[in-house]
Amino acid sequence: MTVTLLRGASTILTMDDARRELADHDILMRDGVIAGIGVGLVAPEGAEVLNAQGCLVTPGLVNTHHHLYQSLTRAVPSGQDALLFGWLRTLYPIWQQFTPDHMHVSAQVGLAELALSGCTLSSDHLYLYPNGSRLEDTIHAAAEVGLRFHPTRGAMSIGESAGGLPPDALVEDEDAILEDCIRVIDAFHDPVEGSMCRVGIAPCSPFSVSTDLMRSAALLARDKGVMLHTHLAENDEDIAYSLETFGCRPGEYAESLGWVGPDVWHAHCVKLDPAEIALFARTGTGVAHCPCSNCRLGSGIAPLRAMRDAGVPVGLGVDGSASNDAGNLVAEARQAMLLQRVSIGADAMSAREALEIATRGGADILGRPDCGRLEVGKRADIAVWDMTCVEAAGSWDPAALLLAGPTTVRDLFVNGRAVVKEGHITTLDMGGLLARQRQLAMSLKEQL
């Protein structure tokens, strides 16, 4: 039995249904679950007691869209100033060289970075499998880091010779894709409450797979009881492709294939129009908002305020490190808040609302109401932020973390286990991991 008591947290931002904010409270964690929240809680015999005075405590942040393999291809010079389609054409030949070792190490690096930024639950969208790579290369990495994980079995099936974007060497046969989706779901998907790993199905995008695969993926996901994920309406090129190829906008295309509903979440959705927003709200279809990547690739500012006001379920995603060049989820939340302010007005989004999107918002679109809030009986996924640091000096409101506060955690608990302690990853040899990452990145450069 693992028991930990966080004692005397200066502020607890619960994100519970009442959005309570508690001062000078304790949190008791037992066997992966929050067992108590109150004042003067007694630590059971053998419990670890951590002083949380001067700290803000929040639910662990939730990342709803990532491409972890890209952690080895940040700031590639020829792709630094390209739009989405040109950026992809630049990077596909590099990613074509990846091996299972590249996939495993890049996932460890990306998840460690997320953990340091307060993330306890991350999805991942892996849609290319060169040189024997498999989804479990990332699943094993997540288990080693200790983060709760929602990997999705992505895929590309339309290569350059058939009018698609990816090189033919990176596409797969569609029957083989569906067979492997069944394999990884049967092997790794755990639907129970408190699960550390759930698997989804995620054809890469409408411009890299066929209509038949999109439709078949939806049928398979519902038969298996797993979630669906893809990219949608990311930029103007995406809209133009949909209109030219399918004769309709991306939201209409998704609806025609069964790709709407509470078991579906789409990444980006920068260019959704009012009718598509209404469709997503009516059907409970989720959106992974990726503001930094959208800025980096010049895709635009997603209508986050309009989506929230309409009732669209929204979470945050850092997207791949090759289009973000970072994987800091609390910084992503700040960017989401700032972009709504600069496009609409300073009162368009508060720091608390943006943090809500980054916690319970993301948990909800991943189908995880057991995460993303601090309540008795919920999972003990908890971020502890030291508000005595220089970044928070002078702050009058410790709960306004996104306005004045650290961007790395002091401590991070996932299922009650300390994955970060005093600002350091506890589960990995970070020096050895970063050395291996440098070796692999160098080998990619040498092969170009």
Side-chain angles (χ1 to χ4, degrees):
M1 181 174 71
T2 302
V3 183
T4 304
L5 179 67
L6 283 179
R7 174 166 286 163
S10 294
T11 306
I12 299 175
L13 207 56
T14 66
M15 296 298 173
D16 64 8
D17 291 346
R19 307 303 192 270
R20 291 181 302 154
E21 298 182 14
L22 308 174
D24 303 316
H25 273 56
D26 310 328
I27 300 179
L28 180 66
M29 296 173 263
R30 179 185 287 114
D31 293 339
V33 173
I34 296 174
I37 300 176
V39 177
L41 297 183
V42 177
E45 185 176 352
E48 181 177 13
V49 180
L50 295 179
N51 182 5
Q53 290 180 343
C55 294
L56 168 68
V57 177
T58 70
L61 277 56
V62 179
N63 179 40
T64 62
H65 186 64
H66 208 329
H67 307 296
L68 286 165
Y69 74 90
Q70 294 180 11
S71 298
L72 297 183
T73 52
R74 303 189 204 216
V76 173
S78 54
Q80 287 180 14
D81 303 314
L83 298 177
L84 174 63
F85 284 14
W87 171 85
L88 284 169
R89 291 189 180 98
T90 295
L91 289 166
Y92 278 142
I94 302 174
W95 297 335
Q96 191 174 325
Q97 304 171 44
F98 274 41
T99 67
D101 197 20
H102 289 88
M103 295 295 186
H104 184 83
V105 169
S106 61
Q108 286 185 315
V109 169
L111 291 167
E113 183 180 17
L114 282 171
L116 290 168
S117 75
C119 177
T120 52
L121 165 60
S122 181
S123 67
D124 186 46
H125 189 186
L126 181 57
Y127 54 80
L128 46 80
Y129 297 87
N131 306 309
S133 300
R134 299 192 297 177
L135 188 67
E136 51 262 47
D137 299 326
T138 63
I139 291 173
H140 297 324
E144 290 156 4
V145 178
L147 258 62
R148 209 177 293 279
F149 200 38
H150 198 133
T152 59
R153 206 301 182 181
M156 298 188 292
S157 64
I158 301 178
E160 286 178 311
S161 63
L165 274 176
D168 289 348
L170 283 178
V171 302
E172 301 175 89
D173 174 78
E174 294 193 347
D175 288 339
I177 289 166
L178 294 170
E179 287 176 9
D180 198 55
C181 287
I182 294 170
R183 181 188 70 83
V184 295
I185 291 167
D186 289 347
F188 299 105
H189 178 68
D190 181 4
V192 303
E193 183 173 332
S195 166
M196 291 297 291
C197 183
R198 293 186 183 174
V199 177
I201 298 177
C204 181
S205 65
F207 53 81
S208 59
V209 300
S210 72
T211 296
D212 286 343
L213 182 60
M214 291 289 287
R215 187 177 289 112
S216 296
L219 292 172
L220 176 60
R222 270 128 197 178
D223 179 64
K224 288 289 190 179
V226 301
M227 297 190 71
L228 287 163
H229 184 53
T230 193
H231 299 90
L232 199 77
E234 185 168 353
N235 67 2
D236 289 332
E237 291 174 289
D238 201 339
I239 301 298
Y241 181 91
S242 183
L243 290 171
E244 180 180 350
T245 306
F246 309 122
C248 61
R249 288 185 56 86
E252 298 172 273
Y253 180 64
E255 184 181 25
S256 73
L257 299 175
W259 273 76
V260 292
D263 58 349
V264 181
W265 85 103
H266 295 286
H268 299 295
C269 297
V270 174
K271 299 296 181 177
L272 290 188
D273 68 11
E276 290 166 318
I277 291 172
L279 168 66
F280 280 27
R282 184 171 67 254
T283 57
T285 305
V287 170
H289 175 47
C290 307
C292 289
S293 176
N294 295 340
C295 289
R296 163 76 153 75
L297 293 174
S299 300
I301 301 174
L304 179 59
R305 180 73 275 153
M307 288 191 284
R308 289 276 294 176
D309 289 347
V312 176
V314 181
L316 282 184
V318 299
D319 202 9
S321 292
S323 65
N324 187 327
D325 301 308
N328 187 303
L329 197 51
V330 74
E332 201 77 33
R334 175 177 167 86
Q335 183 80 339
M337 174 189 71
L338 294 179
L339 282 177
Q340 295 309 297
R341 290 178 174 219
V342 77
S343 62
I344 302 173
D347 59 351
M349 180 161 289
S350 70
R352 283 168 170 78
E353 183 180 8
L355 195 58
E356 177 181 319
I357 295 169
T359 51
R360 68 178 287 151
D364 288 350
I365 71 166
L366 293 181
R368 298 303 302 259
D370 54 338
C371 303
R373 58 271 279 161
L374 302 180
E375 297 180 66
V376 172
K378 302 297 185 182
R379 307 315 299 182
D381 293 2
I382 299 173
V384 182
W385 310 85
D386 181 4
M387 301 303 287
T388 67
C389 64
V390 66
E391 297 96 329
S395 174
W396 288 33
D397 181 4
L401 174 68
L402 304 185
L403 293 177
T407 56
T408 57
V409 289
R410 190 194 79 174
D411 305 301
L412 187 76
F413 296 89
V414 183
N415 220 40
R417 178 191 185 191
V419 172
V420 178
K421 208 167 197 177
E422 296 295 335
H424 298 284
I425 300 286
T426 66
T427 53
L428 298 174
D429 170 13
M430 287 302 297
L433 173 61
L434 292 175
R436 181 61 180 148
Q437 172 267 326
R438 287 191 291 271
Q439 291 174 348
L440 290 173
M442 184 61 66
S443 73
L444 293 172
K445 293 178 184 179
E446 291 172 351
Q447 292 177 58
L448 289 178

mmCIF file of all heavy atoms in Angstrom, residues 8 21 38 143 167 177 194 210 246 358 365 370 381 432:
data_model
loop_
_atom_site.group_PDB
_atom_site.id
_atom_site.type_symbol
_atom_site.label_atom_id
_atom_site.label_comp_id
_atom_site.label_asym_id
_atom_site.label_seq_id
_atom_site.Cartn_x
_atom_site.Cartn_y
_atom_site.Cartn_z
ATOM 1 N N GLY A 8 -0.608 20.977 4.011
ATOM 2 C CA GLY A 8 -0.618 22.433 4.100
ATOM 3 C C GLY A 8 -0.427 23.159 2.789
ATOM 4 O O GLY A 8 0.235 24.208 2.757
ATOM 5 N N GLU A 21 -11.743 26.345 -4.686
ATOM 6 C CA GLU A 21 -10.356 26.727 -4.447
ATOM 7 C C GLU A 21 -10.142 26.723 -2.941
ATOM 8 O O GLU A 21 -10.823 27.454 -2.213
ATOM 9 C CB GLU A 21 -10.056 28.087 -5.062
ATOM 10 C CG GLU A 21 -10.235 28.091 -6.575
ATOM 11 C CD GLU A 21 -9.892 29.416 -7.233
ATOM 12 O OE1 GLU A 21 -9.257 30.261 -6.563
ATOM 13 O OE2 GLU A 21 -10.251 29.603 -8.409
ATOM 14 N N GLY A 38 -8.669 17.828 3.097
ATOM 15 C CA GLY A 38 -9.179 18.519 4.269
ATOM 16 C C GLY A 38 -8.074 19.223 5.022
ATOM 17 O O GLY A 38 -6.930 19.305 4.564
ATOM 18 N N ALA A 143 5.253 3.465 -19.939
ATOM 19 C CA ALA A 143 5.251 2.687 -18.693
ATOM 20 C C ALA A 143 6.523 2.935 -17.906
ATOM 21 O O ALA A 143 6.504 3.003 -16.673
ATOM 22 C CB ALA A 143 5.095 1.204 -19.019
ATOM 23 N N PRO A 167 5.719 9.936 -48.662
ATOM 24 C CA PRO A 167 6.387 9.035 -49.606
ATOM 25 C C PRO A 167 5.784 7.639 -49.527
ATOM 26 O O PRO A 167 5.296 7.220 -48.473
ATOM 27 C CB PRO A 167 7.844 9.048 -49.142
ATOM 28 C CG PRO A 167 7.853 9.658 -47.799
ATOM 29 C CD PRO A 167 6.614 10.458 -47.645
ATOM 30 N N ILE A 177 -3.381 -2.360 -41.832
ATOM 31 C CA ILE A 177 -3.590 -1.331 -40.802
ATOM 32 C C ILE A 177 -4.681 -1.764 -39.836
ATOM 33 O O ILE A 177 -4.509 -1.713 -38.608
ATOM 34 C CB ILE A 177 -3.958 0.014 -41.464
ATOM 35 C CG1 ILE A 177 -2.754 0.614 -42.189
ATOM 36 C CG2 ILE A 177 -4.496 1.001 -40.417
ATOM 37 C CD1 ILE A 177 -3.113 1.745 -43.135
ATOM 38 N N GLY A 194 -9.223 4.049 -13.844
ATOM 39 C CA GLY A 194 -7.869 4.077 -13.324
ATOM 40 C C GLY A 194 -6.835 3.484 -14.249
ATOM 41 O O GLY A 194 -5.656 3.396 -13.896
ATOM 42 N N SER A 210 -7.677 6.766 -47.234
ATOM 43 C CA SER A 210 -8.859 6.731 -48.089
ATOM 44 C C SER A 210 -10.140 6.908 -47.278
ATOM 45 O O SER A 210 -10.163 6.708 -46.061
ATOM 46 C CB SER A 210 -8.929 5.400 -48.841
ATOM 47 O OG SER A 210 -9.277 4.356 -47.951
ATOM 48 N N PHE A 246 -13.460 16.129 -51.762
ATOM 49 C CA PHE A 246 -14.682 15.516 -51.239
ATOM 50 C C PHE A 246 -15.944 16.326 -51.548
ATOM 51 O O PHE A 246 -17.062 15.860 -51.318
ATOM 52 C CB PHE A 246 -14.567 15.325 -49.719
ATOM 53 C CG PHE A 246 -13.316 14.618 -49.294
ATOM 54 C CD1 PHE A 246 -12.427 15.219 -48.405
ATOM 55 C CD2 PHE A 246 -12.991 13.361 -49.790
ATOM 56 C CE1 PHE A 246 -11.258 14.580 -48.008
ATOM 57 C CE2 PHE A 246 -11.836 12.705 -49.399
ATOM 58 C CZ PHE A 246 -10.959 13.322 -48.509
ATOM 59 N N ALA A 358 -6.917 22.692 -19.749
ATOM 60 C CA ALA A 358 -5.715 21.859 -19.714
ATOM 61 C C ALA A 358 -5.817 20.695 -18.735
ATOM 62 O O ALA A 358 -4.963 19.802 -18.765
ATOM 63 C CB ALA A 358 -4.502 22.721 -19.347
ATOM 64 N N ILE A 365 -12.413 14.880 -22.794
ATOM 65 C CA ILE A 365 -12.490 14.474 -24.195
ATOM 66 C C ILE A 365 -11.779 13.147 -24.435
ATOM 67 O O ILE A 365 -12.058 12.470 -25.428
ATOM 68 C CB ILE A 365 -11.990 15.555 -25.175
ATOM 69 C CG1 ILE A 365 -10.487 15.750 -25.111
ATOM 70 C CG2 ILE A 365 -12.723 16.845 -25.006
ATOM 71 C CD1 ILE A 365 -9.974 16.556 -26.295
ATOM 72 N N ASP A 370 -12.296 10.105 -14.435
ATOM 73 C CA ASP A 370 -11.566 9.744 -13.217
ATOM 74 C C ASP A 370 -10.299 10.564 -13.056
ATOM 75 O O ASP A 370 -9.619 10.468 -12.030
ATOM 76 C CB ASP A 370 -11.224 8.249 -13.219
ATOM 77 C CG ASP A 370 -10.474 7.787 -14.469
ATOM 78 O OD1 ASP A 370 -10.567 8.469 -15.518
ATOM 79 O OD2 ASP A 370 -9.813 6.725 -14.411
ATOM 80 N N ASP A 381 -3.602 11.962 -9.565
ATOM 81 C CA ASP A 381 -2.751 12.591 -10.573
ATOM 82 C C ASP A 381 -2.666 14.065 -10.208
ATOM 83 O O ASP A 381 -3.616 14.836 -10.453
ATOM 84 C CB ASP A 381 -3.352 12.418 -11.969
ATOM 85 C CG ASP A 381 -3.354 10.976 -12.451
ATOM 86 O OD1 ASP A 381 -2.921 10.096 -11.702
ATOM 87 O OD2 ASP A 381 -3.796 10.747 -13.593
ATOM 88 N N GLY A 432 21.632 9.597 -19.083
ATOM 89 C CA GLY A 432 21.822 8.548 -20.070
ATOM 90 C C GLY A 432 20.843 8.662 -21.222
ATOM 91 O O GLY A 432 21.202 8.428 -22.387
#
